[in-house]
Amino acid sequence: LKAGKLAVERGWAINVGGGFHHCSSDKGGGFCAYADITLAIKFLFERVQGVSKATIIDLDAHQGNGHERDFMDDHRVYIMDVYNRYIYPGDGFAKRAIKRKVELEWGTEDTEYIQKVHAHVEGALNELKPDVIVYNAGTDILDGDPLGGLAISPQGIVKRDEIVFKAARRRRIPVLMVTSGGYQKRTARIIADSILNLHNLGLIDKALAASGSENPKVEQMIRDSDKDLCN
C-alpha cells in the first residue's frame, strides 16, 4: 500500500519484497500468501483521487493467475502477462482476464524476449493509458532458474526493467515495481544492478517527485491516507 501511494506521489516506487501474483483475494497459491498486487490497486482506486485505471505488466516467468482472477471482470484493470507457457500454474480460467498475453517457449533467450517485451509494453500502453502501472518484475526468467525454464541473461533483465520504466516515463505514468519470483542467489545482485541502472539513467530519482504525477490533488490525498492508516 505504501509503495502504491509513493508511486503515485512521486512517479515511481520499488518494493523489493512484493509481487505475490499467484494469490487471489480468496485463495493462496505458489509461494504467495496474500494478494499484494490486488490490495495495492484496490487501495489506490478507493483512496487516491484520480486513480481509476491501472495496468499490470507481469514479466515474472510464471502466469500471474492471482491478480487475473481478482480482476477478471474489472474493466478498470488492463493485464499484460509474459510467461513460460509450460510451467505453473497453467490456469486456463485466469487467462481469460489477460488483455495482452505472450506465451514463451522453454529456453527463450535475450533477443527474442527483449523484442517481445518492448513491442508489447509499447502496445499495451498505447492501447490504454492508465493512471498507474504495477510492474511485476520477477527474476525467475534468469538462465538457470530451477522454476522459470527461460534463459535470460543478467544484462537482459536489466534491459527489460529499463524498457518498462522508459515507456512509463515517456507517458508520465507512475510505476510501482515489485520484484516477485527469483530462485537463485545471484538474482539479488541482478536486482540491485537493475535499480542502479534505472537511477543512473535518471528514471528513478527524487527529482522526479514533482513531475511524477499529473494529478495536483494526489499529494494531499497521500497525506490524508497516511493519517487514516496511523489512526
Side-chain angles (χ1 to χ4, degrees):
L1 302 186
K2 185 67 174 178
K5 293 190 296 177
L6 285 171
V8 174
E9 178 184 17
R10 67 184 185 183
W12 66 275
I14 300 170
N15 178 356
V16 296
F20 307 127
H21 66 156
H22 297 307
C23 186
S24 60
S25 297
D26 61 351
K27 185 179 180 181
F31 304 133
C32 305
Y34 65 95
D36 61 334
I37 292 175
T38 297
L39 287 167
I41 291 174
K42 289 189 173 182
F43 178 84
L44 292 175
F45 283 170
E46 294 172 5
R47 302 293 294 277
V48 178
Q49 187 174 346
V51 180
S52 60
K53 295 178 295 181
T55 291
I56 299 171
I57 298 177
D58 196 331
L59 302 186
D60 187 273
H62 301 81
Q63 176 199 352
N65 62 319
H67 59 73
E68 288 161 8
R69 284 178 170 264
D70 283 339
F71 295 116
M72 178 68 66
D73 299 312
D74 193 332
H75 300 295
R76 299 173 298 174
V77 180
Y78 182 108
I79 299 174
M80 169 183 162
D81 202 346
V82 182
Y83 55 89
N84 183 339
R85 68 197 309 164
Y86 300 109
I87 60 176
Y88 179 89
D91 191 336
F93 176 77
K95 289 180 183 180
R96 294 164 49 188
I98 305 172
K99 300 293 194 301
R100 189 170 285 261
K101 178 174 61 178
V102 184
E103 296 188 322
L104 303 174
E105 301 294 323
W106 287 107
T108 298
E109 297 181 348
D110 284 20
T111 301
E112 178 185 353
Y113 182 78
I114 292 300
Q115 181 181 17
K116 287 184 174 179
V117 166
H118 182 267
H120 288 284
V121 166
E122 291 292 327
L125 297 179
N126 287 339
E127 190 170 332
L128 174 71
K129 183 179 178 181
D131 300 308
V132 65
I133 295 167
V134 178
Y135 171 35
N136 199 52
T139 48
D140 51 2
I141 64 171
L142 181 65
D143 186 23
D145 190 280
L147 299 181
L150 303 177
I152 310 304
S153 71
Q155 296 76 19
I157 292 174
V158 171
K159 183 63 177 178
R160 175 200 68 173
D161 295 348
E162 181 183 321
I163 287 170
V164 174
F165 273 79
K166 280 184 173 179
R169 185 60 50 206
R170 282 197 305 273
R171 295 167 175 81
R172 293 175 58 83
I173 304 171
V175 55
L176 162 60
M177 172 177 163
V178 289
T179 54
S180 202
Y183 307 100
Q184 300 181 77
K185 288 184 178 180
R186 60 190 180 125
T187 59
R189 179 70 258 173
I190 296 168
I191 292 168
D193 288 343
S194 180
I195 293 173
L196 287 171
N197 180 61
L198 295 174
H199 180 268
N200 291 337
L201 292 173
L203 296 169
I204 56 173
D205 193 279
K206 288 183 180 180
L208 295 173
S211 61
S213 172
E214 297 179 3
N215 185 344
K217 297 182 180 179
V218 164
E219 187 174 349
Q220 183 60 48
M221 292 298 296
I222 297 295
R223 289 196 293 266
D224 293 344
S225 295
D226 280 338
K227 291 178 183 177
D228 290 342
L229 284 175
C230 290
N231 292 335

